[in-house]
Amino acid sequence: FQPSETQAVEEQIKETVQLYFATVDRVRQRSSEPSVSLESVASSSQLIAQQELLENQREAGLRQVGGTEIVELRLESVSLGDPAIALVDVCWDVRAVDVVDGELRSVVTPERKNVGWTRYTVTNEKWESTTDDGWRVSGGADLEKEPCTGP
């Protein structure tokens, strides 16, 4: 890889994670947004988890208000095999996010963690055939580390 190619791949991965957060926020905010929208940014266990969460939220008559802020995004590793896999650590802040019922009453518990780190696995099953599409967030695990400070 030339340095510019590596930088381009790293940018694609970071953009995928940012688009993932924006898409998850959008489908949880708008009941008219189809859950299939998640397939453009997520796959595997992460897609299933997000679809189940969304389905449960909608069945309960709940929706999200506000958006998640990505405070820090760190690309930890990239392996361009088959499939291509990257690990990305994200410090997120949901202080501006509320989940409300039909009467606009908050259902968020006081125990909710508002700022934290999650390590996301981002995979590209199509890496061998196309390099400019195919990155999806496929997994995630919360990290036990000091929260970032946020804004």
Side-chain angles (χ1 to χ4, degrees):
F1 264 138
Q2 302 297 326
S4 60
E5 289 178 282
T6 302
Q7 289 171 338
V9 168
E10 290 175 357
E11 283 306 309
Q12 287 173 356
I13 295 165
K14 289 177 182 178
E15 286 171 13
T16 296
V17 173
Q18 292 166 338
L19 185 59
Y20 167 81
F21 273 89
T23 303
V24 168
D25 279 348
R26 189 176 69 244
V27 298
R28 293 184 66 197
Q29 291 164 347
R30 302 181 190 147
S31 58
S32 61
E33 183 78 29
S35 65
V36 72
S37 300
L38 294 166
E39 293 176 12
S40 67
V41 295
S43 65
S44 194
S45 62
Q46 197 70 16
L47 175 62
I48 293 166
Q50 286 298 332
Q51 286 176 326
E52 287 177 358
L53 179 65
L54 178 65
E55 186 178 309
N56 292 339
Q57 178 181 306
R58 288 181 175 175
E59 283 177 3
L62 304 175
R63 71 179 175 87
Q64 177 177 313
V65 178
T68 305
E69 180 181 353
I70 296 174
V71 179
E72 197 169 331
L73 190 152
R74 295 184 190 157
L75 185 58
E76 295 295 323
S77 67
V78 179
S79 171
L80 297 176
D82 186 21
I85 299 173
L87 296 178
V88 181
D89 289 357
V90 175
C91 183
W92 43 264
D93 182 338
V94 294
R95 286 180 282 198
V97 173
D98 200 355
V99 179
V100 297
D101 64 14
E103 305 293 318
L104 299 180
R105 288 184 300 248
S106 178
V107 298
V108 173
T109 65
E111 297 82 33
R112 175 180 80 175
K113 197 162 114 176
N114 287 318
V115 179
W117 285 93
T118 302
R119 173 163 292 164
Y120 290 97
T121 303
V122 185
T123 55
N124 187 336
E125 302 286 341
K126 305 176 188 176
W127 181 252
E128 295 296 318
S129 59
T130 177
T131 57
D132 44 343
D133 182 36
W135 290 104
R136 303 286 185 273
V137 175
S138 58
D142 288 341
L143 298 174
E144 293 299 323
K145 61 195 251 183
E146 287 297 310
C148 54
T149 55

